[in-house]
Amino acid sequence: MNKQKKSSKTLVNFMLGIICFVWLIPAVGLLVSSFRYRESIDSTGWWTEFPHREYQTFITYQLPEDVNLRESIKIEGVEYDDLAIRDGIVREDGSKIVWESRKARLIGVQKKRWSFLPELTFDNYKAVLIGQKYEYTNSAGEISTVQGENLSQAFLNSLAVTIPATVIPVMIAAFAAYVFAWMKFPGRRLLFIIVVATLVVPLQLALIPLTKDYVKLQLNGTFLSMWLAHTGFGLPLAIYLLHNYISTLPRDILESAFIDGASHFTIFLRLIMPLSVPALASFAIFQFLWVWNDYLVSLVFLGASAGKQVLTVQLANLVGSRGQNWYFLASGAFISMALPLLVFFSLQRYFVRGLTAGSVKG
Amino acid sequence: MGQNQKTVKPASNYPIRLFKGILMAVALGGFLYWGFFFLRDSELPKVFTTMFAIVWGVGGMTMIYVVMNWLAENLLPTNLRHRVLPYVFLLPAMLLLLWFLVIPTLRTLVMSFSNKNNTEFIGFANYIAVFTERLMLEAFRNNLLWIMIGTTACIVFGLLVAVLADRSSFENIAKAIIFMPMAISFVGAGVIWKFVFLYEPAGEVQRGLLNAIWVGLGGQPQAWLQMIQPWNNLFLIMVAVWIQTGYAMVIFSSAIKSVPEEILEAARIDGATEIQAFFRITIPVIKNTIITVTTTIVIFMLKIFDVVIIMTGGQYGTEVIATQFYRQFFTNRNQGYGAAISIVLLIAVLPVMIYNLREFGKQETFR
């Protein structure tokens, strides 16, 4: 019985391990690629950076000047012809004869050996972050000048959009949730029905009218337009989640505060906010990830304004303009992922709690 | 909390308080107004503008509440204040909800019956186009594929991982790995998977993982995202499953842990296998959770946009409703048609909205 349990646990671990491996491998592939030299990315798969067996030259022959390359060439007593050497000749002992450089009349004899050392560089990250031309050193040490992409600007734009677009809805929603949970007033039920009804409204519905409003108010292309939009779209879920939490806070604490003569504002700031930190945090993480990763809203409201684009829009533009340049795409993608992954892994607990308490966002 | 000093203040100070209040409101308004133009036209280095934007946005919003509260507490008589204060605190939230969700929905509904520039009423013409045009029909078919295959895959994988993780010796690590794609953008995920599906002509070195494996097994290299329509949609759906399975897994995981161990143990003693116990006990117990998660993922698949735009741009027969919406409204500037497409999205989520409202109606606290 015990033995059977043990073997079934091994099986479970094995299966889960495989699933996890499959889940990770796409991201690992791009991550490894983002640190590879351009020439390597363009010529081989990223997995060649891991230990593998490859042909390495161990003897080099310099052919004398008088050997005619168009006729047969004698190496170690055996005659080969040029065309075959160009394709590489594998001999019986497993070694291989190839041209090291036909121009310099160098022939190499190679053997399969383990290659352990990956060749990695930070240059791709430098390239996407810097806007101007910069000097690029390839794996052979040659220097060339290349035009970079300007993702550092986009990174700052993303920050300028995301931080206020996270804090503002949290603040507004916390006030609203407090009012709904602790104050009695006419219209309370009706107003909350609006909140619940808008929970699943697809934001596409709002884009056309909002574009018109923004053009009229000259808000197009400003950070304010993004904060307002993300606040508006995030509010239903925020109010709903925070109300669920705040309404369960113990009633007697608040009542004793009222008896002491504290105003609603003081109670909200001194009592409700500190007590609601877990709920506030879980919604804030949601909203942060949502805004940082958003593409559609930024594309519509900021996409056309030069210098104001956020990371996702810039990255999508790179896919369009530099679709073949994987050194740009790989490092660009990971620059856009760095901050959300950091936030996610350091605050995972709150995020999960928010999910399990949550509902559907429109 | 201490005594509230404001109520002790003599009423004769009212004109001074009124003056103070007006001053505060004007100062705040001026700061917000000036900040807006400063931010829009600023030529300062990016780092400073970013910092200013954050301070202006977050600080401005805080000040709005502080000033509004001060005005309500100091300028209104006590009994009126108690009646007005809830609305004061609710005002920003309700204004934004109305401006950004409620009113736009109604405006979009009206627009959907009008022509390109909303100058003429054209009845149901847009809706007829939505349900007859070739690309829209393609989009509907694809969205159906997304919803059926994508949702099923997410639920099955989510359940599988939740169950396996529960019994494994590295639960937290496994969950974090499966969950990780939820933290990154769809654009980033699109780039990751585009690299997996990369295609080089036969005879060249395959740098895309899928083709490298495929060729290694003896196949011919395939352009996965372009060939074999409509099955290329499956490769796009794979990306969404990769992203969204983590969500299902997390919710299922906490639901599975709430299944009473005694019932499972009793079933085992009666001779049930683990698989029987799972299908006869665990699944029925967490049925409601499965329904909720399914609904959420169906809505997610219905609105899928970024993944398609990044991977294929909607070409090669991969158009979906949201990309069609974007094309009509943004590229073709056909507002009436775009509006009609988004109303179709709304109709699709309507049952969920009605369900939410009905559940809300049952809540005691709002009676």
Side-chain angles (χ1 to χ4, degrees), chain A residues 13 23 33 41 153 157 186 192-193 205-206 210 212-214 227 260 263 265 293 295 299 307 340 344 362, chain B residues 2 46 53 69 73 87 89 99-100 107-108 118 167-169 179 183 185 195 207 242 303 306 326 335 360:
Chain A
N13 284 343
W23 234 255
S33 297
I41 298 182
Q153 299 272 315
N157 286 336
F192 204 79
I193 282 179
L205 275 164
L210 281 182
K212 290 186 155 185
D213 290 353
Y214 278 175
W227 303 339
D260 283 348
S263 70
F265 197 68
N293 291 334
Y295 174 61
L299 184 64
F344 171 75
Chain B
K46 199 91 213 174
N69 177 66
E73 289 207 342
Y87 300 105
F89 285 161
W99 182 16
F100 284 86
R107 285 167 73 188
T108 303
N118 314 126
R167 290 139 188 259
S168 75
S169 20
F179 204 38
S185 64
F195 195 53
R207 295 175 295 149
W242 184 70
K303 296 191 301 186
D306 313 22
Y326 179 76
Q335 299 190 337
F360 168 72

Side-chain angles (χ1 to χ4, degrees), chain A residues 9 12-13 16-17 19-20 23-27 29-30 33 41-44 46-47 153 156-157 160 163-164 167-168 171-172 175-176 179-180 185-186 188-189 191-198 200-202 204-214 217-219 222 224 227-229 231-233 235-236 243 260-265 289 293 295-296 299-300 307 312 315-316 319 326 337 340-341 344-345 348 351-352 355-356 360-362, chain B residues 1-2 4 36 40 46-47 50 53-54 56-58 61-62 65-66 69 73 85-87 89-90 92-94 96-97 99-102 104-105 107-108 111 118 160-161 164-165 167-170 174 176-181 183-185 187-188 191-196 198 205-209 212 241-242 245 247 250-251 254 296 299 303 305-306 309-310 322 325-326 329-330 335 338-339 342-343 345-346 349 352-353 356-357 360 365-366:
Chain A
K9 184 144 196 169
V12 163
N13 284 343
L16 191 64
I19 296 177
C20 290
W23 234 255
L24 265 183
I25 214 73
L30 201 69
S33 297
I41 298 182
D42 287 341
S43 57
T44 53
W46 55 269
W47 45 88
Q153 299 272 315
L156 289 173
N157 286 336
I163 294 177
V167 178
I168 294 173
M171 199 155 43
I172 295 182
F175 269 105
V179 172
F180 279 125
F185 56 94
R188 172 164 165 266
R189 196 180 150 81
L191 290 179
F192 204 79
I193 282 179
I194 295 180
V195 174
V196 175
T198 45
V200 287
V201 171
Q204 275 90 348
L205 275 164
L207 290 182
I208 303 178
L210 281 182
T211 327
K212 290 186 155 185
D213 290 353
Y214 278 175
L217 296 169
Q218 298 193 331
L219 278 178
T222 62
L224 181 63
W227 303 339
L228 289 173
T231 305
F233 300 147
L235 267 181
H243 171 265
D260 283 348
S263 70
H264 277 293
F265 197 68
L289 291 179
N293 291 334
Y295 174 61
L296 181 58
L299 184 64
V300 171
T312 46
L315 186 61
V319 174
W326 281 98
M337 291 172 204
L341 282 177
F344 171 75
F345 280 116
Q348 202 186 356
F351 186 71
V352 169
L355 266 186
T356 39
V360 189
K361 185 175 191 286
Chain B
M1 285 295 121
N4 192 340
F36 175 74
R40 200 183 62 180
K46 199 91 213 174
V47 182
T50 307
I54 294 168
W56 180 69
V58 174
M61 197 62 233
T62 321
Y65 274 107
V66 171
N69 177 66
E73 289 207 342
L85 212 55
Y87 300 105
F89 285 161
L90 268 185
M94 287 339 267
L96 285 170
L97 271 188
W99 182 16
F100 284 86
L101 287 168
V102 180
T105 306
R107 285 167 73 188
T108 303
M111 274 184 215
N118 314 126
L160 183 67
V161 175
L164 288 179
R167 290 139 188 259
S168 75
S169 20
F170 49 100
I177 289 173
I178 305 295
F179 204 38
M180 181 253 329
I184 65 181
S185 64
V187 179
V191 173
I192 287 181
W193 280 89
K194 237 185 142 151
F195 195 53
V196 173
L198 202 63
V205 181
Q206 296 297 328
R207 295 175 295 149
L209 184 63
V241 171
W242 184 70
T245 294
Y247 164 74
V250 164
I251 312 271
S254 69
T296 312
I299 294 181
K303 296 191 301 186
F305 170 73
D306 313 22
I309 281 287
I310 294 301
F325 163 79
Y326 179 76
F329 143 65
F330 217 67
Q335 299 190 337
S342 60
I343 292 292
L345 279 181
L346 178 69
V349 299
V352 184
M353 191 191 286
N356 279 349
L357 285 172
F360 168 72
T365 43
F366 276 92

Side-chain angles (χ1 to χ4, degrees), chain B residues 294-339:
Chain B
T294 308
T295 318
T296 312
I297 298 182
V298 164
I299 294 181
F300 168 85
M301 296 288 174
L302 184 72
K303 296 191 301 186
I304 200 81
F305 170 73
D306 313 22
V307 174
V308 179
I309 281 287
I310 294 301
M311 308 269 298
T312 63
Q315 287 171 293
Y316 321 112
T318 56
E319 206 74 57
V320 288
I321 301 176
T323 54
Q324 269 293 305
F325 163 79
Y326 179 76
R327 224 177 289 291
Q328 291 302 340
F329 143 65
F330 217 67
T331 319
N332 301 351
R333 307 261 165 210
N334 192 341
Q335 299 190 337
Y337 197 7

Side-chain angles (χ1 to χ4, degrees), chain A residues 271-287:
Chain A
L271 271 177
I272 303 293
M273 287 297 242
L275 285 174
S276 316
V277 165
L280 296 175
S282 64
F283 175 74
I285 297 165
F286 254 126
Q287 181 76 1

